[in-house]
Every structure is written in C-alpha cells, then in structure tokens.
Amino acid sequence: MSLSRTERLLNLLIALLNTRYGLRRSELRQKVYHDESGNDVAFGRMFERDKNDLRQFGFDVETLTDLGWSEDDPATTRYRIGKESNRLPDVELGPEEWTVLLLASQLWERAALGTAAQSALRKLQASGRMADVELPSGVQPRIRPAGQAFDDLVAAMHSRHAVTFPYLAGTTGKEEVRTVEPWGLGSRFGQWYLMGYDRARREPRHFRLSRFTGPVTTLPKESFKPPADFNIRLELARLPELPLRTAVVDVREGRLLALRGRAKDAGTDQDIAAPAPAEGHERLSLDFRDPEVLAEELASYGPDALPVAPAELVRAVERRLRAAAAFSAAPVPEYAFPAAQPRKVRKGTSEDQLKRMLQLVPFLVHNQGLHIHDVAEHFGVSRGELEEDLRILICSGLPEGYPDDLLDIQWEDDHVFITQDLDLKKPVRFTVDEACALLTGLETLNGLPDVAEGGALESVTLKLLAAAGEEGLRAASLSGPEVAPGDATTHATVRDAIVSGAQLHLTYLSPQRDAVSERDVDPLRLYSLDNTWYFEAFCHRVNGLRNFRLDRVQDVRPNGNRVAGDRAPAEGVPAKLFTPNDDDTTVTVQLTRQGRGLAEDYYADRTADLPDGGLVAEIRFGSTGWLPMFVAQHGGAVRILEPAGLADTARDWLEAALARYGG
C-alpha cells in the first residue's frame, strides 16, 4: 500500500465510522476519494478493494438500502461501520494482573509471535493506563521457538494454508517431502511438534520440527479447515514418552566432563558387535530417550566422542558431521554487508503503519502529554516515522469537514496531546496471532508456582478470553513448553540471594572449556529459555558480567559477603545470554535458511541476506575455541567464513571427527 492509499483508507474508515445514515458511493467518491475521472469501473474496483482491506482489519462494512431497492443500485446503496465494530472491549486490570500479563507478553524470545505479543500489549495499554509494575526477580521465563520453520508454520496455520517440507522419518530414517494441513503447534518432552493432516497418508500425524531437513513452503492456493474441537494440548498429552534406552559411547580419556557426569558404570550392559575402544579412550554407557537430541550433543564433541551403539544413534551423529563438513567445504557465496545496517522492517510497511495509527490514537487519548521520544520508543519506531504518522493523522478526518472535524494532535515542546479523536479512541480487537501469543503465554506461566498462586493468572486469562472472542478460541492451536526450573532448590537459592543482596560462592561446570571452576559472584537476575534457566551475575574471577546455566551449577551457597551496591544487570529486557566485551573476536558465519535464527540468538552485529534465504552474519564471540563444536552441533546449518584460520580449524576438526567413522 502506498502512502496515499494508507491515508485514503484512514479517511474512509473515519467517514464510515461517523455516519449514522450511511454514505452513498457517489458521496464517498467525491468527498473521500476526490475522484473526478469519470471512470466508474476503475473507481468501483478501487472502492471494493478498500472495503476488503477494511474488512481484513476486522471492520464490518455494512451495506444499507432503502426499502424495496436492490444493493446493485449504487445510487440508493449506502455504507457505514458501526461505532463498536471490531473494537477491543474494555479490560480493567489490577497491578498483579498487569505483572502477569507483562511476563506473558515477554515470553516469546523472538519470532513473529514476539511481535504479536507486544502489539497486543500495546492495545491493552491504549485502552487504559498500565499500572506501574516490576517483574519479580527470578521469574523472567522466555520461549525460544524452533527457528524459521516455526514462524512459517504459525503463519500457514493461522491463514489456513497447507504446507510442504522435507522430513526425516523417525521409523525409517528416510527423508521424504510431506504435504500437511497444519492444525497446531506445541512443545512436549523438550521438542516442538506440528500436528496436522498428512495428505499422502490420509490421516492426522505429528511431526517433530527438529526432523525438518529443509525449509517450509506454504501453498497459498491450498486451503483447509481444521477440526472444530482441535486442541493441541490434549493431542500432545496423548503422545507417549519415548522409552529409556542405553547408548554406548567411546570417550577420550580425561575429556568431556559433562558427559561423564551423566554416565552409568564404565562399560556397557548390552552386547555389541564393535571393536574395543581405541587407545586413550574408554567406553561409557548413557541413558537416553531421543537419539536426535543425544546426536546433537555427541556431534558437538567431534573426535572426542565416538558413538558405538545403537546403530540409529551412530547414523544420526555421522549425518550431522557430514552435513557440517559438506557445508564448510562449499563455495563461498558473494555477499556484501550494507554500509549502514538498516533497521529491520517487516513486510507490508504501509499496512503496519495503518495498524500502528489505529493503536496510536487511543494510546494518546489515555496517555496525554507524553514526550515524543517515549511515544516512539513505545511503538518501536524512530521519531521521524512517528512524526510521519502524526502528520497523516492531523490531515485526516470527516469528508469536507471543518477544522473541528479533523483529528487534532499537537506535539509542541515535544509533548504529544490529542483533543479530537473522531471515535478512534478504542483499539481494534486482537488478531489471531495476538490472541494466541498472549493466551499461550499465560497458559505457559501455569507451570511457575510463584506466578500461578494468588489468582491473578486465572483472572487475567479469563478477562483476555472474553476480550479476544473468536480469535481467543483459536489459541487452542498453540501450546508452549514447560518453563518450571528443573532444579527448584538451586533456583530458590539464587533467587533468595538476588532479593537479599547476598553474594554467592559457585562451583560451575563449563562444557565449552571442559572444566570445573569455583568463583564468587554477585547474582543480579534470573531468566530462562524454555525450561533451561540462567542467572546473570557479576563474576569476581573475570571481573565482568557473566551468565550461568543452573543445570551446570554443581554447588552454590552464600559466602557471607554482600553484593556491591553499584552492581546492575546488563541493559535491556530480556537479558542476553552473551555479554559483549572489547576483546571479543568478530567471526563471519554463513547460515542456511533453517539456521538464520542463530543470527538473532547470538546478537549479530551485521547481516547480509543471500538469494537462497540464508544469510551471512558478523557475530562477536568472547571465546572461539568452542566454535568447531558450534558448527558440528548444528549439522550443516552454519559454517565459519572468517577469520580464515578459524574456518580451517573447524574444517580440520570435522575431518578428524569423520575419520573415526571410516568410509
């Protein structure tokens, strides 16, 4: 949509909202469109497109006729929009409910649902002032969706289009292209699953996203209708947990402390047809359920670990290593980083602008006098973009109206006021994405006892369900992972220390360095990705901020000292897993379309898109010794381009790992 079209749609909306009797097409043509071309056919097509656009925004354009006249007669047909059409009902929330809602809106680590959650929160804030709340220390959970496939599937699911994707079947180990009607997405057993109708097999099936071997392709001409009573949570609850099995792995002596910590007695309790461990190695037995999950870990250990049994596990590790080696040896594509990295803008810029303006007016009505920088920050735009929105708004109003019939917005002395809103003072209803993002987030928080207690979670969920209407019912197609900490005792110790300001003594295992260290830390905040919890702390050993995984903490206790008063968490919410330092190494990596989400995970400084949907990214790493592990772990989704020496090291490391598998 061009800028003129955005302004035209806004004026058409205002005109249809502010008429009781309705406006004829000729009146709209003259007063809103200012069209004197005389081409009735061209104008008719434009008007029908604009009505469809308003309906896509959720506004019901009513068609009225005089008694006895047909709707086909443009001279007697009138149009209007009811004042309550597509308006978000008032939602009154108390401070505790706002706290819970803020937690839910920040759950999505990235992906389209993160944007949708923030948009939904802005709509609620636009209908009234948000209470001043603070996130409780130790309760900042986040959900990290499963890469680009997740976004593509959510979009197809909500637009109800079929999809195709290459898939590695768990039963046969063969890769096949599947065509599926996506009914729902959910997390169980630490994995994301798609559930839908498999057209080739003519029955409902579930697919694990980690087994997708290529990108998801949406079929825009292939529509479907899911079962009316489908609920992804109930469907996933029926999935049986994979049986516990034993893996046999040969490990280099003195290495891989994290793996050894989970091993059973040395040796194995099953008969295997395999030669004895090579010199300098010892054989371990490990319990596992999912061979793909264990294969990802074992591939990251490269030549230090060789899976021996079962054969399925051996093939899975080798497949990852060979894919990583093949990608690392492929020709380097042509790419160029832009001179100034542009701010990321989603598709449909003008459509987003109109959506934003429909949120902006009610927000200004309920938040008079805010500084223009604060308003721009709230909507995630620059001051220039916001002023462009405001200039369009102040030129919009009733057709051929007087000055009092225009939206009246002023921003003198950089403080924004609105005195005429023309019935745009209520935000529009939630979209399906917005309703799913918030309601799924609230459902996910049920796993945290500190949040679920007190009734605020239940009450805000019921209020949002009532406000979301039909869109809220479709939240049953999405289910988040469990976010409760695995080690409640360690979580409680760290959280109590944050609240009381106590310093902690920590015994910590670092798999990347393959070492256990002791250190004193000032804990600052707790947060999670899915059910993996971290805490950010000032580490006195390195004299800087660091992040520690709770499941790698071997021992933690207060040391009797107090946290320094000037200690503060790194800026930004949510917390970042990696804290940049001046001595970091800048590494240039190439990512496939499947792996491009890693650029956001590792906070890339610059990116350059590639024609195949992948990208090249510059990422800063404090330590580079573990990067070959990083390349192997992602099995062909990432490779190192620069520095050349580091790329050579990764290739040599992969070759050494593959040499242990023979031909």
Side-chain angles (χ1 to χ4, degrees), residues 54-108:
L54 291 180
R55 288 189 175 111
Q56 287 180 359
F57 277 96
F59 292 102
D60 183 18
V61 180
E62 300 177 30
T63 302
L64 309 173
T65 58
D66 294 328
L67 185 63
W69 291 93
S70 168
E71 291 186 11
D72 296 332
D73 186 353
T76 59
T77 303
R78 305 184 307 279
Y79 303 92
R80 72 179 183 187
I81 295 175
K83 291 187 180 296
E84 295 302 315
S85 173
N86 196 40
R87 300 309 180 91
L88 183 70
D90 292 331
V91 182
E92 297 292 334
L93 301 175
E96 293 182 353
E97 292 172 321
W98 272 117
T99 299
V100 171
L101 192 59
L102 193 59
L103 283 173
S105 70
Q106 294 183 356
L107 265 177
W108 300 99

Side-chain angles (χ1 to χ4, degrees), residues 508 527 535-536 545-549 576-579:
Y508 189 72
Y527 59 96
F535 73 96
E536 184 182 32
L545 289 175
R546 290 294 185 269
N547 295 277
F548 302 95
R549 273 180 57 159
K576 291 185 176 182
L577 279 178
F578 307 98
T579 305

Side-chain angles (χ1 to χ4, degrees), residues 498-531:
I498 293 173
V499 173
S500 64
Q503 196 177 94
L504 294 172
H505 182 76
L506 195 65
T507 303
Y508 189 72
L509 169 64
S510 173
Q512 287 83 6
R513 294 182 173 84
D514 203 16
V516 176
S517 61
E518 295 197 18
R519 55 189 78 200
D520 292 316
V521 299
D522 295 349
L524 302 175
R525 60 177 166 184
L526 268 156
Y527 59 96
S528 77
L529 289 177
D530 296 341
N531 63 347

Side-chain angles (χ1 to χ4, degrees), residues 204-219:
R205 290 288 184 94
H206 65 270
F207 306 88
R208 200 172 65 199
L209 267 60
S210 62
R211 290 187 178 273
F212 284 38
T213 57
V216 174
T217 301
T218 302
L219 306 177

Side-chain angles (χ1 to χ4, degrees), residues 369-374 383 387 411-417:
L370 283 182
H371 195 281
I372 193 167
H373 286 302
D374 294 332
R383 173 170 178 156
E387 289 186 342
W411 59 99
E412 296 179 3
D413 299 325
D414 283 347
H415 291 271
V416 189
F417 296 87

Side-chain angles (χ1 to χ4, degrees), residues 88-93 98 101 120-132 359 361-368 370 378 425-427:
L88 183 70
D90 292 331
V91 182
E92 297 292 334
L93 301 175
W98 272 117
L101 192 59
L121 187 66
R122 282 196 296 267
K123 288 182 178 180
L124 290 169
Q125 292 170 330
S127 62
R129 287 187 176 273
M130 184 180 76
D132 292 331
Q359 294 180 20
V361 173
F363 177 78
L364 294 178
V365 168
H366 292 91
N367 297 273
Q368 298 279 3
L370 283 182
H378 180 79
K425 60 186 175 183
K426 276 191 173 184

Side-chain angles (χ1 to χ4, degrees), residues 433-590:
D433 279 1
E434 291 167 349
C436 285
L438 280 189
L439 289 169
T440 302
L442 290 169
E443 186 263 340
T444 301
L445 293 179
N446 263 317
L448 292 176
D450 294 329
V451 178
E453 295 170 357
L457 178 59
E458 182 180 0
S459 64
V460 75
T461 301
L462 293 174
K463 290 179 181 179
L464 287 194
L465 275 171
E470 183 179 348
E471 283 73 14
L473 298 178
R474 293 175 64 180
S477 64
L478 198 63
S479 176
E482 295 288 338
V483 296
D487 188 340
T489 301
T490 302
H491 183 277
T493 299
V494 176
R495 184 180 180 186
D496 291 344
I498 293 173
V499 173
S500 64
Q503 196 177 94
L504 294 172
H505 182 76
L506 195 65
T507 303
Y508 189 72
L509 169 64
S510 173
Q512 287 83 6
R513 294 182 173 84
D514 203 16
V516 176
S517 61
E518 295 197 18
R519 55 189 78 200
D520 292 316
V521 299
D522 295 349
L524 302 175
R525 60 177 166 184
L526 268 156
Y527 59 96
S528 77
L529 289 177
D530 296 341
N531 63 347
T532 302
W533 281 82
Y534 302 80
F535 73 96
E536 184 182 32
F538 182 86
C539 178
H540 291 271
R541 180 179 177 183
V542 299
N543 198 35
L545 289 175
R546 290 294 185 269
N547 295 277
F548 302 95
R549 273 180 57 159
L550 262 63
D551 59 354
R552 294 175 182 168
V553 173
Q554 297 186 342
D555 184 58
V556 59
R557 61 184 185 277
N559 63 7
N561 297 326
R562 303 289 299 171
V563 170
D566 57 348
R567 302 283 187 232
E571 294 182 1
V573 174
K576 291 185 176 182
L577 279 178
F578 307 98
T579 305
N581 294 290
D582 294 337
D583 57 350
D584 288 348
T585 300
T586 298
V587 180
T588 305
V589 299
Q590 181 185 348

